[in-house]
Amino acid sequence: MEISKFFIKRPIFTLVTMVFVLILGGVSFIGIPLKLIPELNPPVGVVVTSYQGAGPNEIMEKVGKPLEESLSTLEGLDRITSTSEENSNLILLQFSWTTNIEDLENEIIERMTAAPLPDGADKPRFLKFDPAQFPVIQLSLSSENAESRELQALSEDLEEELSKIEGVASVNLTGTLTDEVAVELDQDKLKEYGLSQEDLVNVIRANSVSSPGDPIVTEGRELTARTLSVIDSVELLENLPITKSPETGEDVLLKDAAKVSLKQKEQETITRENQKPSLLLSVLQQSDANTAAVSAQFQEELKQLLKNDKYKDIRSDVIFDQGEYIDRAIGNMLSTLLIGGALAMVILFLFLRNIKSPLIIGIAIPYSVIVTFVLMYFSKFTLNIMTLGGLALGIGMLVDNSIVVIENIYRHLAMGKPPKKAAYEGAKEVGPAIIASTLTTIAVFVPVVFITGLIGDLFKEFSLTIAFSLFASLVVALTVVPMLASRLLTKPPRVTEEIRRQSSFMRGYERAIAWCLSRRFLVLAIAGVLFAGSIYGLTKIGAVFLPNSDEGFFTIRTELEAGSSLEETEKTVDAIEKYLAKENAVDVTVSLIGTTQEESFRGTNSSNIAETYVRLKEKQDRSVTTFELIDQVKEAVEKEAANSNSTAKLRFNLQSTTGSTPNTLSFNVRDSEKNRLDKTVEKMEKAIEELPEVNAVETDLNTMTDELQINVDRKKAFDQGLTPAQIGMAVETATRGTNALQLDNKEDEELYDVTVRYSEGVTEDAGALENLLIKKPQGGFVELGDVSDISRGKTQASIQRIDKQDAVEFSILYKDTANLSEVSDKVDEEISSLNLPDETEITFSGDRELLEGSIDDMILALVLAIIFVYIVMAAQFESFKYPFVIMFTIPLMAIGVAAALLLTNTAISLSSVIGIIVLAGIVVNNAIVIVEYINQRKEMGMPLKEALIEASSVRLRPILMTALTTILGLLPLAFGIGEGTEINRPMGITVIGGLITSTLLTLFVIPVVYSLFDGGKKERA
C-alpha cells in the first residue's frame, strides 16, 4: 500500500495532519446540536372549524361531511378522521410518510375554503404538525405561603423573564385565574323598562366606538376624522344610559337594570400539584434550537430567579424536561462508547502481551471518532441516541481494521524484520482485505439510507454515522497506525511467531480444521440443522415496533359522564392522586382538571375531563419500571376512581419521545350503519377484555348524555310574533351570556371582557328556565314555557368518522410481560371467532401499523444489503466464486441472533433488524481475511489443503481479536444501563449473538465450503 509507505516516511506530516483534524473535530463537536432523536416531522395536518350554536349531529352533516368530501381525495392521504362536537369540528389528515405536507398546504387550504359550509360557520383553519408546538419542559409552580392571586402574579413575572432565554419560543401558564366585568341582569327590571338582553348588549357596543372617516382639510392640512366614544372604567359602564323611564322620562342607567362588577371569572379549569393548587408552566422551544442547551439555560435562569427574595415562596417541580433526559441518555451512550473502547484495548493487550500496541489502538479509536464528528458536522447531523448508538455499535468495528494491521505488523516483527519494513509489508499484505471488509460493511447501509418514511428518518443518520466511522477507521488503519507502529514497536527479543504456531492451542485448532475437511458434509449438515432451528426460534420470539423506553413518565386521562361538574371531576382526581401518593416510585403528580393538553391545543375545555401527569423518581431510586408500575397500580387506581364516581373512566397513556406508544395495540372499527357498529364494538370489547395478556380495553364509543331539550311550539310562537330561531337565540344568549366588548380599564391598565348575562336564579334549573322572558317584536314579553315544551332528552357528546364512515377507536393496553405480535395474534383470533358482519371494517394503527408497514422495507433493505456485499466482494476479488464462498457466513449469524434474543427474552424490533443488516456486513469480514490469505498461499504454489489450514491458523488470532473487541465493545450497549439506551439494546444483543456464532463457525465452515467450490484448482485474479 503506497499510502502507508508515504505516511511511514513522513511522520511529521502525519502528526500535524492529526493535530489539524483534532482541532477541526473539537470545533465540530461543539457545534453539533444535541437532540434526543433525529428530527421527525410526521405529515399530519388538522382542519378546525367553529360553528357556534350547533350540536354534534348538525355539525357532522353541515360541516364535517362537506369538508370530508372535499379533502378525502388529496394525494398521499392515508386516513381522514372527523370529530364533531358541540360548536366545532376537527378533521385530522394523516398522509403517507413519503408525502411532503408543505407541497400540499396550498391545495388543502383551497379545498377547505371551497367546501360548501353554512353561513353561520367560521372559516376553517389549517394547522400543520410541528414538533416545536409541544413543550420541551413542563414544571409546576406552587407556594405554601402565597395566596392564589399572589402566586399567579409572581408566576406571570417569572413567565415574562423566562421567555427572554435564547432558544425559547414561548412560555405558557395553565391554571391562571382571570377577572371579567360582569353585567348581571335583573329580569324584572328589564321587563319594567321593556328591554331584552340583546338590547343591552347593543347599547353597550354602540357606546364603545372608534370609527375613522375621510380626511378633512383644516388650516391647510389634511387631518383624519375619527369618532370616539370610549368606555374605560367600570364606573363609566354602570352609569351608561340605556333608555328613558316610561313613567318619569328620566334616564335609566345600566346599574338600574343590572349589577355591574369586576369579579373573578367562573373557574373552568383547575391545576394541582401533589393535591395542592398550583400553576403549570410549559416551555416551547424554537424549531432550530438545541434542546439540551435550551434546557440547561432555562434551568439555570430559573434557579437564579428563584433565589431572589421576590420569589422566595415559590416552589418549582419539574414534571418533564426533555433536555435533562437527553443529557442523561447521551451521557449513558458516551459512557457505553468509552467502556467499549477500553475493553477493546484490554483484549489487544491480552492477545499481543505488548503495552505499545494497545496504546496505538488507544490513539486510533478517539482519532477515528473525532474524524466522524467532522463528517457529522458538515452533514448537518445532530448528536442523538441514534447517532451515538451508531458510534457505540461501531466502536468495536472502529478498531477492527487497526487490529488486523497492527497484528500483521507484529507478526512480521516476530519474523525478525526491522520495524519500518515490518510496518510497510504488514500493512501492504492486509490492505486489500481490510479495504474489502470495510466496503462490505459500509455497503449494507446503502439500502437503509434510501428507505423513506419514519424508519428512514430514524435510522438514516444512524447508518451514515457508522459508515463515516468505518471510513475514518480505514484511513487511520492505513496511515496513522503503520506510522506509529514503525516508530513505537520494536523487534521482539526472540522470534515468537514460530513458537506461537507450535503452541498446543494452535496445533489443536489445525487438527480440528483437518478433521472438518475430512468430514465436510457432516459439518455442513450440523450447520444446516442449527440454521433451521434458529429460523424456527425467531418465529417464536415475538415482535414490537421499537423497544419500550422507560422515560419515568406517564399520564392518566379521567373522564366522567358528560355534564359532570368541575367539582365532581376534581373529587375523582383527588382520589387518584391520594392513591398514587402512597407509591414509593412516584415523585410528582400534576393534574389538569377541566381540560387536557390536547384540549388546550384546540382551545377547548370540558368540566367532565382531567389529565394527571405522573413523574417517577430517578431510575436508580426506584425498583420498578414505568411499565411494571402501571401493571401494578392500574386496577387499584380505577377502583379508587369508581368509588368516587361510578361513571369515571381512566385511560393510561405511555407516549414515548420516539413517537411510539409502548404496550398499546390500537385499531379502529368502521361501519356504514351506526347501530350495527355499536353492537359490534360491544361484542369485541367483551371478548378482548377476557384475554389474560390484556390490562385494559378502551374505546371512544360515545354514550348518550342527558340534555334539556326545548321543543318550540311553532303555532304558539307564531301567535306571539316569534320564530323558533329567535327563541333559540334568546335561550342561547341567556344561558351562555354574551361578550359585549373588551374594557381597557384606565385604573389598572388591564383589559377585561364585559360579559352580559342573567343573574343565576333565571337559568339555575329547568323550572326557572320556563319563566325566562322573551321579548316579542311588537313589544311585550312572553315566558319561554308558554311557547315551548322543556323536557329531558338524550344526545351524543361527539361523533367520530374515519374515512367517511362512523368509527370507534380501540386502545388495548397489554401487560409488560407480553409483546405486540403476541397480543395482536390473540386479538386477531378473538375477532375471527366473533363472525362479525361483512360491512364491518377493522384497520390497525399505532405501533402495529408502523411495524407491518416497515416489514417490507426491512426485508428489502436486508436483501439489498446482501446483494451489495456480494457485488463489492466480487469487484474486490475479481471473481464470482470466492465471494459466494464468503456469503455462507451470513446464515451462520442467524444461529447466534436467535439464541441471543431467546436467552435475553428480547422481542424482534426495528432495532434488532437493523442489527441483522449490520451483521450482514460484519460477519463476512472474517471470511474475507481467511479467503484472501488462502488465495495468497495458493498463488505461492501451496497445495489447497495446506493453504486452507495455514490461512485459518495464521488468521485465527486477528479474527478472534476483532470479534472479541467488537463483542466486548457492544457489551455496555447490550446491558442497556441507564435512560435512553433501551432503543439500541436489542441491536447490541443481536450483533453480539450473531457475531459469536458466525465467528466460531466461520473458522470451520468456510474452509470446508472453500474446498468444495475450489476442487483443488487454483484461480488467478
Side-chain angles (χ1 to χ4, degrees), residues 322-334:
Q322 195 178 101
E324 186 182 0
Y325 182 76
I326 288 170
D327 281 339
R328 288 202 303 267
I330 288 179
N332 289 328
M333 292 305 298
L334 284 171

Side-chain angles (χ1 to χ4, degrees), residues 755-922:
T755 306
V756 181
R757 66 168 72 92
Y758 281 96
S759 56
E760 287 184 9
V762 177
T763 57
E764 66 181 352
D765 57 33
L769 193 62
E770 285 187 340
N771 299 321
L772 176 69
L773 295 176
I774 298 174
K775 187 179 178 183
K776 297 186 287 186
Q778 67 272 27
F781 293 86
V782 63
E783 289 187 357
L784 178 62
D786 292 338
V787 290
S788 67
D789 176 50
I790 302 177
S791 60
R792 181 172 291 190
K794 298 280 187 181
T795 188
Q796 283 183 285
S798 68
I799 300 169
Q800 178 168 277
R801 285 160 54 87
I802 297 176
D803 293 337
K804 301 194 287 187
Q805 286 185 304
D806 288 320
V808 173
E809 288 271 6
F810 271 77
S811 289
I812 299 169
L813 196 68
Y814 53 84
K815 293 178 180 176
D816 195 42
T817 51
N819 60 60
L820 181 64
S821 64
E822 179 186 350
V823 174
S824 293
D825 290 343
K826 295 284 179 67
V827 169
D828 288 346
E829 287 174 15
E830 286 295 326
I831 292 173
S832 298
S833 67
L834 295 176
N835 297 316
L836 300 178
D838 294 338
E839 296 85 355
T840 301
E841 293 181 41
I842 298 172
T843 305
F844 286 89
S845 56
D847 280 16
R848 175 162 169 177
E849 181 186 24
L850 292 168
L851 177 63
E852 291 177 348
S854 65
I855 288 172
D856 290 344
D857 282 341
M858 289 290 96
I859 292 172
L860 177 64
L862 180 59
V863 171
L864 288 176
I866 293 169
I867 292 170
F868 288 172
V869 166
Y870 180 80
I871 289 171
V872 169
M873 290 192 298
Q876 184 71 25
F877 282 94
E878 197 60 37
S879 166
F880 291 113
K881 180 176 30 174
Y882 297 129
F884 192 72
V885 171
I886 293 168
M887 295 301 285
F888 274 82
T889 56
I890 290 177
L892 303 179
M893 74 183 183
I895 301 165
V897 169
L901 293 177
L902 283 166
L903 286 171
T904 57
N905 195 28
T906 303
I908 295 172
S909 65
L910 207 59
S911 301
S912 52
V913 175
I914 292 290
I916 292 170
I917 293 172
V918 172
L919 268 173
I922 298 174

Side-chain angles (χ1 to χ4, degrees), residues 516-517 520-521 523-524 527 881-889 892 931 934 944 948 1001-1002 1004-1015:
C516 288
L517 289 171
R520 296 182 296 184
F521 292 103
V523 170
L524 293 178
K881 180 176 30 174
Y882 297 129
F884 192 72
V885 171
I886 293 168
M887 295 301 285
F888 274 82
T889 56
L892 303 179
V931 170
I934 292 170
L944 176 62
L948 289 170
L1001 292 174
T1002 293
F1004 300 99
V1005 173
I1006 290 303
V1008 169
V1009 175
Y1010 191 106
S1011 70
L1012 286 171
F1013 275 84
D1014 193 80

Side-chain angles (χ1 to χ4, degrees), residues 9-30:
K9 288 183 175 179
R10 304 284 298 276
I12 302 299
F13 174 84
T14 307
L15 287 173
V16 295
T17 303
M18 289 176 68
V19 171
F20 171 75
V21 172
L22 287 172
I23 294 169
L24 196 61
V27 174
S28 299
F29 179 73
I30 294 168

Side-chain angles (χ1 to χ4, degrees), residues 33-82:
L34 285 177
K35 298 269 186 183
L36 183 63
I37 57 174
E39 200 71 51
L40 297 176
N41 288 298
V44 175
V46 176
V47 177
V48 183
T49 311
S50 296
Y51 185 17
Q52 291 300 321
N57 277 299
E58 187 180 0
I59 285 180
M60 177 190 70
E61 293 294 337
K62 295 183 178 180
V63 177
K65 286 185 177 180
L67 282 171
E68 287 176 48
E69 287 295 331
S70 183
L71 296 168
S72 60
T73 54
L74 285 164
E75 185 181 353
L77 184 65
D78 273 351
R79 183 176 301 152
I80 179 168
T81 305
S82 172

Side-chain angles (χ1 to χ4, degrees), residues 702-718:
N702 291 300
T703 53
M704 304 300 283
T705 181
D706 290 340
E707 69 173 4
L708 284 179
Q709 296 178 345
I710 301 162
N711 297 295
V712 177
D713 187 318
R714 294 189 187 88
K715 179 68 171 66
K716 290 180 179 179
F718 182 76

Side-chain angles (χ1 to χ4, degrees), residues 250-368:
E250 294 180 356
D251 290 348
V252 176
L253 306 180
L254 182 58
K255 65 182 179 182
D256 296 328
K259 179 184 176 184
V260 183
S261 60
L262 181 63
K263 60 188 291 189
Q264 182 182 309
K265 268 188 181 180
E266 186 178 342
Q267 202 169 358
E268 296 179 331
T269 62
I270 299 169
T271 308
R272 297 154 48 112
E273 178 213 333
N274 291 340
Q275 305 166 64
K276 295 176 182 176
S278 70
L279 296 174
L280 180 68
L281 189 143
S282 302
V283 182
L284 278 70
Q285 70 172 22
Q286 293 169 2
S287 56
D288 59 345
N290 184 330
T291 306
V294 169
S295 168
Q297 289 179 49
F298 182 89
Q299 295 288 10
E300 181 59 31
E301 182 66 20
L302 178 64
K303 186 179 176 183
Q304 293 302 320
L305 286 169
L306 292 179
K307 286 181 180 178
N308 294 345
D309 288 341
K310 178 180 177 180
Y311 303 113
K312 65 181 180 181
D313 291 330
I314 290 185
R315 175 188 163 189
S316 74
D317 282 297
V318 176
I319 307 164
F320 172 72
D321 183 350
Q322 195 178 101
E324 186 182 0
Y325 182 76
I326 288 170
D327 281 339
R328 288 202 303 267
I330 288 179
N332 289 328
M333 292 305 298
L334 284 171
S335 299
T336 297
L337 207 151
L338 291 171
I339 294 168
L343 289 172
M345 290 172 64
V346 169
I347 288 296
L348 196 64
F349 174 74
L350 292 175
F351 270 91
L352 298 182
R353 306 294 176 90
N354 181 305
I355 196 65
K356 291 180 181 178
S357 296
L359 283 177
I360 293 172
I361 298 298
I363 294 169
I365 293 174
Y367 188 65
S368 298

Side-chain angles (χ1 to χ4, degrees), residues 139-159:
L139 53 90
S140 62
L141 299 173
S142 58
S143 175
E144 294 287 341
N145 304 319
E147 296 293 326
S148 297
R149 286 287 181 180
E150 188 182 353
L151 171 63
Q152 180 170 321
L154 291 171
S155 299
E156 285 170 350
D157 290 345
L158 267 178
E159 177 187 11

